[in-house]
Amino acid sequence: MTGTATAPGACGTPATRTPLIVNALGELHNPNAAADRAAQLQQTGEELVVDARALADAHASGMTAVNITLGYVMGEQPPFRHTLDEISVWNGILHDNSAHLLHVRTAADIHRARREGRIGVIYGFQNAEAVGDDLGRVRTFAELGVRVVQLTYNQANALGDGSMAPGNRGLTPFGRQVVEELNAHRLMVDLSHSGERTCLEAAALSRQPVSVNHTGCRALADLPRNKTDEELRLVASRGGFVGVYFMPFLTADGHPCADDVVEHLVHAVDVCGEDHVGIGTDGPVTAIDDLDAYRAAIAEQVAERRRAGVAAAGEQPGVVPFVVDLRGVDQFRRLIALLERRGWSQTRIAKVMGGNFVAYAERIWGA
């Protein structure tokens, strides 16, 4: 399964072997099975459908591992209890599908997943709200197998400001303590969605390299969800990782195409160097079957996110949260083909498609 798929080369050259592919932030479920819930503010793990199609599509895509979002992100649920419940749900999903899925706790587990033809699943947060005011919870999450902790979502929390917080106040004193605790337990400090000062301060404070697992380049699209060159450069200079997403924020009008993903990857490599850039699509590999119905549901979700104060600039009706011509099981092979046509070497492509994330994981989690 993984490692044997092929992609068309540039200008009709022979097909090439798919490299190890790690999605630094993605989804692992069948979005069509939960289409009636697409308008919800946030779907819970119990509502996501990890069925035979989702598993088959993940294998067919060539993906080796994916960092999935679990736990509290937004909404009315009690953050800590909800997060524990979500971890329990995903433990059950992995147990029930152990022939296909492997819980990733170390970088070696990613290589193991590839060898065994399974999909590595990395437990990650998109908001550290569940820490509450108790630093001891970081140890709890680490022991439960969480490996990525994003400090903020779009809004401010007790740790610092998100990308849409108007104050851009940076890390709070408690946020600094949390970064230090995450370092102590060797968890990834993910600065996606963070405000600019929060990102710069956390990257400078952290004793270990930090990541921005899903973002774009603000130099190409001036939206708050994208990172400035200063942020990108600092993260990379300290040994960190930057993942480029397949999201509407790649262009100002919210309708990017596959070529725009390539442009953001090229810019990120120019700024960070080819050893610090990867992909974090922020989406599933299973394609939406009915785009018209999905667009209507997303319009409702955007309205609800605005009412809740968690929407980002660039979210608007008619804009879907993925790149329309870079979706489905061929999304990674299509991207590889575009990068080949751009003149990228197989070595650079292999780094960006997964090698750089694994190298970063080794620096944080150990080999």
Side-chain angles (χ1 to χ4, degrees):
M1 292 181 181
T2 54
T4 60
T6 58
C11 303
T13 55
T16 56
R17 183 176 184 268
T18 301
L20 183 149
I21 295 171
V22 181
N23 193 347
L25 191 283
E27 300 174 13
L28 184 62
H29 66 100
N30 180 358
N32 302 289
D36 59 325
R37 305 187 190 102
Q40 288 184 191
L41 186 63
Q42 179 189 355
Q43 290 178 248
T44 66
E46 289 180 333
E47 294 167 333
L48 299 179
V49 177
V50 183
D51 58 9
R53 178 178 174 184
L55 295 171
D57 286 353
H59 285 302
S61 74
M63 184 172 67
T64 296
V66 56
N67 169 31
I68 54 109
T69 299
L70 50 69
Y72 179 85
V73 179
M74 68 194 96
E76 300 301 320
Q77 306 98 330
F80 182 58
R81 173 47 55 187
H82 175 65
T83 298
L84 294 181
D85 290 345
E86 288 278 280
I87 292 171
S88 179
V89 167
W90 272 99
N91 285 344
I93 291 172
L94 266 60
H95 178 270
D96 293 344
N97 297 281
S98 59
H100 298 277
L101 305 177
L102 174 69
H103 187 179
V104 171
R105 293 173 177 265
T106 68
D109 287 332
I110 298 176
H111 294 295
R112 178 185 171 192
R114 183 174 171 86
R115 287 195 310 272
E116 297 178 357
R118 293 197 277 173
I119 306 297
V121 178
I122 304 163
Y123 286 5
F125 294 169
Q126 278 206 68
N127 195 337
E129 189 75 28
V131 174
D133 59 0
D134 184 355
L135 288 174
R137 290 179 178 176
V138 172
R139 176 188 289 275
T140 298
F141 295 138
E143 291 174 347
L144 290 171
V146 175
R147 288 297 175 263
V148 181
V149 175
Q150 184 177 295
L151 297 188
T152 72
Y153 195 59
N154 291 330
Q155 65 276 43
N157 64 17
L159 283 67
D161 277 9
S163 60
M164 294 304 299
N168 192 28
R169 60 181 171 150
L171 282 176
T172 65
F174 183 66
R176 291 176 175 271
Q177 290 180 291
V178 170
V179 169
E180 292 170 354
E181 196 70 9
L182 292 171
N183 287 167
H185 294 284
R186 304 193 70 82
L187 301 185
M188 288 183 181
V189 177
D190 184 1
L191 300 170
S192 306
H193 286 266
S194 69
E196 184 175 1
R197 279 190 61 195
T198 299
C199 180
L200 293 172
E201 291 178 5
L205 170 70
S206 179
R207 300 190 310 275
Q208 296 168 358
V210 298
S211 64
V212 186
N213 283 6
H214 62 298
T215 191
C217 305
R218 199 176 299 183
L220 302 185
D222 190 11
L223 292 168
R225 273 290 288 109
N226 296 329
K227 292 301 184 185
T228 64
D229 284 0
E230 182 182 6
E231 293 170 275
L232 297 174
R233 191 173 292 112
L234 179 60
V235 168
S237 72
R238 298 178 66 84
F241 171 86
V242 173
V244 170
Y245 46 32
F246 299 1
M247 289 290 280
F249 310 111
L250 297 177
T251 59
D253 66 2
H255 299 287
C257 64
D259 287 336
D260 294 304
V261 176
V262 171
E263 291 304 321
H264 280 259
L265 283 169
V266 168
H267 184 82
V269 167
D270 287 345
V271 173
C272 301
E274 69 174 33
D275 294 325
H276 301 281
V277 177
I279 55 169
T281 69
D282 204 5
V285 292
T286 297
I288 301 295
D289 294 333
D290 188 341
L291 272 178
D292 290 338
Y294 187 77
R295 282 192 173 96
I298 287 298
E300 295 179 33
Q301 186 186 72
V302 168
E304 181 60 27
R305 286 171 61 86
R306 286 178 175 174
R307 285 192 292 270
V310 298
E315 295 183 30
Q316 53 190 312
V319 170
V320 293
F322 46 79
V323 175
V324 174
D325 65 338
L326 200 61
R327 62 194 178 95
V329 298
D330 289 325
Q331 60 186 264
F332 303 122
R333 288 184 285 273
R334 174 163 167 72
L335 178 60
I336 289 169
L338 291 172
L339 294 173
E340 288 175 335
R341 294 186 183 111
R342 190 62 181 250
W344 279 25
S345 68
Q346 294 300 316
T347 298
R348 174 176 287 185
I349 290 171
K351 288 179 179 181
V352 168
M353 295 306 296
N356 286 340
F357 183 89
V358 174
Y360 172 64
E362 290 174 349
R363 294 194 286 277
I364 306 303
W365 306 334

